[in-house]
């Protein structure tokens, strides 16, 4: 009896991403720590002074976390309803927050009760922050107003009512103590100067504005709304420099790293994109479990904190740099020690002892060896193989088809197994490397289970998904054939023109030669 040969799994080239310095840098964070909050995390803000604690605003509470703590070291809970946008002052001593009831509260981190409460807005205040002079607060809310407040007296300085929809984001200039910016759902970003009674600049973003960010130099402004992140030149009157559309859903938050050379954006599509501020190209991307509402980076770029819609706080810390050990390692044997004797040729009087090589078969190979086709197919439909190495699953299907036992392996399955098979086929049949095999598998599944169509809603749904996937692929192929036909026509035209040009040159050259011979 011939020795069993294991299934040959065809190797396909992997299209891996190029490894850059940014990739290595942003991958240098530890496994994230998950902290559960009481509600969706709408704001995360790091203290600008050491030890760089951070404030998390979720539901009706503000929690202060230490950089490495998983439990809040301080809590502010004097809110009747939801709290919004807790923000530190530049010296790290005070914290200001808005609320759903329309009041603005100022807290001292050494106490628990509010130092000041500013009343006046008639609806929820979603954005608050300190001006760079540390003695004034700006705010914006659902009553469409943008206000400026004086901390020592606790009174309102000026109110601007220029927006026509909810004001949901804002920031203050680090360079000019009188300048702050607000973004609204009316698609505009307005720049205000406290010395004037109206806005000094209006920028049309084109989508409801969810976040705004001013570069430390004060010359560039970044706005996020819809799927777009746009960069504007403030010094040129709000000229658009670049529009980025790298997210698939609404962009909700923006953040700069400590050097200002990398811009981070978080979105409802569960991704955080990292852009270079010189080329504005994506240099790295983080993937999260659910939609992202808030994002913050610590002043030394040691910690990334992301807040999500399900109330989970995702905290990543940078890995410490490995210290080089000065101790000398034990010297390993030289390479020649391991290869010694491998090239020795036995002589006639030598007695050769052959060492049998033991081949370990995988589970599906053992089942195929014992002709258990159905169980072999079940083995390669397990999640680790089906999801991460689908080429193994397809290779076993191909081997079963070669043996003529594929139909019997597919038959006699219950609702759950048929659903699993159809899910795999519908997902992978559009991949060119698997299409020839999986089209045959899909035909057999359809023939076998056609009599029971209509008896299970789950199986019927998978059949419809398979039909939809194949229909889309056929449409794509038809479009590609049309494009190929257009390209063939263009190439034929170019070739014809080139040939005509060469023929003219040749004919002209021949005519000139004949005329020259006649003259001579």
């Amino acid at each position: 009896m011939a020795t069993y040969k294991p299934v040959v799994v065809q190797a396909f080239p992997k299209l891996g991403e190029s490894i850059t310095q940014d990739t290595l840098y942003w991958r240098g964070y530890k496994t994230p720590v998950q902290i559960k909050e009481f509600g969706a995390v709408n704001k995360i803000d790091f203290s600008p002074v050491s030890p760089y604690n951070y404030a998390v605003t979720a539901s009706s509470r503000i929690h202060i976390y230490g950089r490495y703590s998983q439990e809040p070291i301080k809590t502010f809970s004097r809110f009747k309803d939801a709290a919004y946008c807790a923000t530190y002052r530049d010296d790290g001593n005070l914290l200001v927050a808005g609320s759903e009831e329309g009041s603005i509260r100022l807290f001292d981190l050494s106490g628990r009760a509010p130092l000041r409460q500013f009343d006046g807005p008639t609806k929820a205040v979603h954005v608050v922050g300190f001006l760079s002079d540390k003695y004034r607060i700006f705010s914006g809310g659902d009553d469409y107003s943008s206000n400026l407040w004086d901390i020592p007296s606790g009174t309102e300085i000026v109110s601007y009512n220029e927006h026509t929809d909810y004001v949901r984001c804002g920031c203050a200039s680090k360079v000019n103590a009188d300048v702050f910016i607000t973004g609204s759902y009316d698609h505009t970003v307005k720049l205000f100067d406290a010395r004037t009674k109206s806005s000094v600049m209006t920028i049309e973003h084109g989508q409801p504005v969810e976040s705004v960010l001013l570069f430390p130099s004060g010359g560039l402004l970044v706005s996020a709304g819809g799927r777009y992140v746009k960069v504007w030149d403030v010094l040129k009157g709000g000229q658009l420099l670049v529009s980025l559309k790298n997210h698939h859903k609404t962009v909700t938050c923006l953040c700069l790293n400590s050097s200002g050379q990398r811009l981070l954006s978080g979105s409802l599509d569960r991704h955080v994109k990292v852009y270079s501020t010189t080329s504005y190209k994506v240099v790295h991307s983080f993937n999260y479990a659910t939609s992202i509402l808030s994002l913050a980076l610590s002043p030394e770029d040691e910690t990334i904190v992301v807040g999500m819609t399900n109330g989970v706080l995702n905290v990543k810390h940078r890995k410490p740099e490995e210290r080089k050990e000065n101790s000398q390692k034990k010297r390993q044997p030289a390479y020649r020690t391991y290869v010694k004797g491998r090239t020795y040729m036995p002589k006639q009087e030598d007695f050769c002892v052959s060492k049998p090589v033991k081949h370990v078969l995988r589970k599906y190979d053992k089942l195929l060896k014992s002709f258990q086709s159905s169980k072999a197919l079940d083995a390669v439909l397990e999640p680790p193989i089906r999801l991460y190495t689908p080429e193994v699953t397809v290779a076993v299907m191909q081997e079963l088809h070669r043996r003529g036992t594929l139909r019997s392996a597919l038959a006699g399955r219950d609702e759950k197994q048929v659903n699993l098979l159809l899910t795999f086929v519908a997902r992978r049949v559009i991949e060119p490397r698997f299409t020839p095999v999986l089209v045959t598998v899909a035909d057999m599944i359809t023939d076998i289970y056609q009599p029971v169509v209509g008896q299970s809603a789950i199986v019927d749904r998978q059949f419809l998904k398979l039909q939809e996937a194949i229909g889309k692929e056929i449409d794509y192929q038809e479009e590609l054939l049309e494009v190929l036909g257009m390209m063939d026509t263009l190439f034929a035209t170019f070739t014809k023109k080139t040939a005509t040009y060469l023929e003219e040159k040749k004919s002209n050259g021949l005519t000139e030669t004949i005329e020259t011979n006649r003259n001579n």
Side-chain angles (χ1 to χ4, degrees):
M1 183 177 177
T3 307
Y4 173 79
K5 294 181 180 179
V7 175
V8 178
V9 179
Q10 187 177 354
F12 296 95
K14 292 184 178 180
L15 302 177
E17 60 177 1
S18 58
I19 304 298
T20 62
Q21 289 297 324
D22 276 288
T23 305
L24 296 174
Y25 178 82
W26 293 105
R27 280 183 179 174
Y29 286 88
K30 296 179 184 178
T31 305
V33 176
Q34 306 278 357
I35 302 172
K36 179 64 177 174
E37 284 290 338
F38 292 95
V41 181
N42 63 72
K43 176 70 174 180
I44 303 167
D45 192 54
F46 272 92
S47 171
V49 296
S50 184
Y52 306 122
N53 297 333
Y54 56 94
V56 176
T57 312
S59 185
S60 60
R61 302 184 183 189
I62 301 170
H63 286 156
I64 309 296
Y65 289 91
R67 189 191 292 187
Y68 298 104
S69 65
Q70 297 186 27
E71 295 292 335
I73 59 177
K74 195 175 190 64
T75 301
F76 298 102
S77 57
R78 302 292 181 90
F79 295 92
K80 296 178 182 178
D81 209 330
Y84 298 113
C85 198
T87 307
Y88 278 98
R89 197 167 72 170
D90 287 345
D91 57 7
N93 293 325
L94 297 181
L95 190 76
V96 65
S99 63
E100 182 68 29
E101 61 260 28
S103 62
I104 302 164
R105 291 179 173 85
L106 182 69
F107 297 95
D108 187 345
L109 291 180
S110 60
R112 290 187 180 276
L115 287 180
R116 291 277 190 278
Q117 179 166 323
F118 304 92
D119 296 312
T122 57
K123 293 185 179 180
V125 178
H126 279 265
V127 55
V128 289
F130 292 93
L131 296 187
S132 57
D133 64 1
K134 303 178 184 177
Y135 298 107
R136 288 177 292 178
I137 294 171
F138 71 90
S139 67
D142 289 356
D143 59 357
Y144 310 165
S145 67
S146 303
N147 306 309
L148 203 60
W149 309 85
D150 182 59
I151 294 176
S153 63
T155 57
E156 181 182 294
I157 300 173
V158 63
S159 178
Y160 302 96
N161 294 286
E162 298 189 18
H163 285 294
T164 57
D165 208 333
Y166 299 154
V167 180
R168 288 298 172 91
C169 56
C171 62
S173 171
K174 302 290 184 184
V175 179
N176 191 325
D178 293 306
V179 172
F180 68 97
I181 295 168
T182 57
S184 169
Y185 280 5
D186 63 5
H187 301 191
T188 64
V189 177
K190 291 186 180 289
L191 188 146
F192 296 98
D193 191 323
R195 295 164 293 188
T196 63
K197 294 185 178 181
S198 62
S199 62
V200 295
M201 186 184 298
T202 300
I203 296 171
E204 183 68 35
H205 178 82
Q207 300 283 338
V209 183
E210 297 284 353
S211 182
V212 291
L213 179 68
L214 199 60
F215 274 65
S217 63
L220 295 179
L221 171 69
V222 186
S223 62
R227 295 170 56 193
Y228 296 90
V229 175
K230 297 184 179 182
V231 184
W232 313 85
D233 191 336
V234 177
L235 301 180
K236 290 186 177 180
Q239 178 182 345
L240 179 63
L241 295 182
V242 64
S243 178
L244 308 171
K245 190 181 179 183
N246 298 98
H247 287 283
H248 301 297
K249 292 184 179 180
T250 300
V251 183
T252 55
C253 47
L254 297 169
C255 177
L256 273 176
N257 74 335
S258 57
S259 64
Q261 296 180 353
R262 295 293 179 266
L263 172 67
L264 286 75
S265 64
S267 167
L268 296 180
D269 64 4
R270 305 183 294 106
H271 286 85
V272 171
K273 304 284 185 183
V274 184
Y275 306 89
S276 167
T277 54
T278 53
S279 63
Y280 291 105
K281 292 183 179 179
V282 177
V283 295
H284 193 68
S285 179
F286 293 101
N287 189 15
Y288 289 88
T290 55
S291 300
I292 297 167
L293 282 183
S294 51
L295 165 71
L297 196 60
S298 66
E300 295 180 350
D301 299 342
E302 293 294 320
T303 308
I304 296 177
V305 185
V306 170
M308 291 174 274
T309 53
N310 61 353
V312 172
L313 203 63
N314 186 293
V315 185
K316 291 183 179 180
H317 300 288
R318 280 200 66 80
K319 297 176 183 176
E321 296 182 0
E322 297 180 358
R323 297 178 182 178
K324 295 181 179 180
E325 296 182 359
N326 297 326
S327 58
Q328 294 182 353
K329 293 183 179 180
K330 185 178 179 181
R331 185 179 177 184
Q332 299 293 329
Y335 176 70
R336 62 177 178 271
T337 305
Y338 296 104
V339 299
K340 187 176 181 181
R342 288 193 179 183
T343 57
Y344 177 78
M345 297 299 294
K347 297 177 183 178
Q348 189 174 2
E349 62 272 13
D350 290 341
F351 180 76
C352 298
V353 179
S354 60
K355 186 178 180 181
V357 180
K358 186 177 180 181
H359 296 285
V360 179
L361 295 178
R362 296 184 180 275
K363 183 180 178 180
Y364 57 85
D365 275 319
K366 291 179 181 178
L367 294 168
L368 286 173
K369 186 178 179 180
S370 58
F371 303 103
Q372 300 182 54
S373 304
S374 184
K375 290 185 178 180
L377 185 58
D378 290 338
V380 294
L381 286 174
E382 293 292 328
I385 299 178
R386 184 183 77 245
L387 297 177
Y388 302 109
T389 55
E391 59 272 10
V392 175
T393 306
V394 175
V396 170
M397 289 179 174
Q398 190 173 13
E399 174 64 18
L400 291 173
H401 183 56
R402 187 188 67 80
R403 294 184 178 193
T405 58
L406 180 58
R407 179 177 287 272
S408 62
L410 293 172
R413 295 180 174 269
D414 58 19
E415 181 186 51
K416 185 178 180 181
Q417 292 173 329
V418 175
N419 179 39
L420 192 64
L421 266 172
L422 287 172
T423 303
F424 177 79
V425 173
R427 181 180 179 184
R428 300 291 182 179
V429 72
I430 60 175
E431 296 187 29
R433 54 181 181 164
F434 302 144
T435 300
V437 179
L438 293 184
V439 165
T440 305
V441 174
D443 284 341
M444 288 188 180
I445 294 174
T446 307
D447 291 341
I448 294 169
Y449 295 101
Q450 186 178 4
V452 297
V453 171
Q455 297 181 12
S456 170
I458 298 174
V459 174
D460 292 349
R461 195 181 306 119
Q462 291 302 327
F463 271 117
L464 290 174
K465 286 184 179 179
L466 177 61
Q467 182 184 8
E468 183 182 358
I470 294 175
K472 284 184 178 179
E473 186 64 21
I474 292 172
D475 293 339
Y476 292 150
Q477 295 291 341
E478 290 177 353
E479 291 178 9
L480 288 173
L481 286 173
E482 290 177 4
V483 174
L484 187 60
M486 296 176 190
M487 294 174 66
D488 286 341
T489 305
L490 291 172
F491 292 150
T493 306
F494 294 153
T495 306
K496 186 176 179 181
K497 286 183 178 179
T498 306
T500 306
Y501 178 72
L502 291 174
E503 287 173 5
E504 287 179 358
K505 292 290 287 182
K506 289 180 181 178
S507 62
N508 291 340
L510 180 62
T511 306
E512 291 172 2
T513 305
I514 293 172
E515 289 179 355
T516 305
N517 291 337
R518 287 178 180 176
N519 293 333
N520 292 336

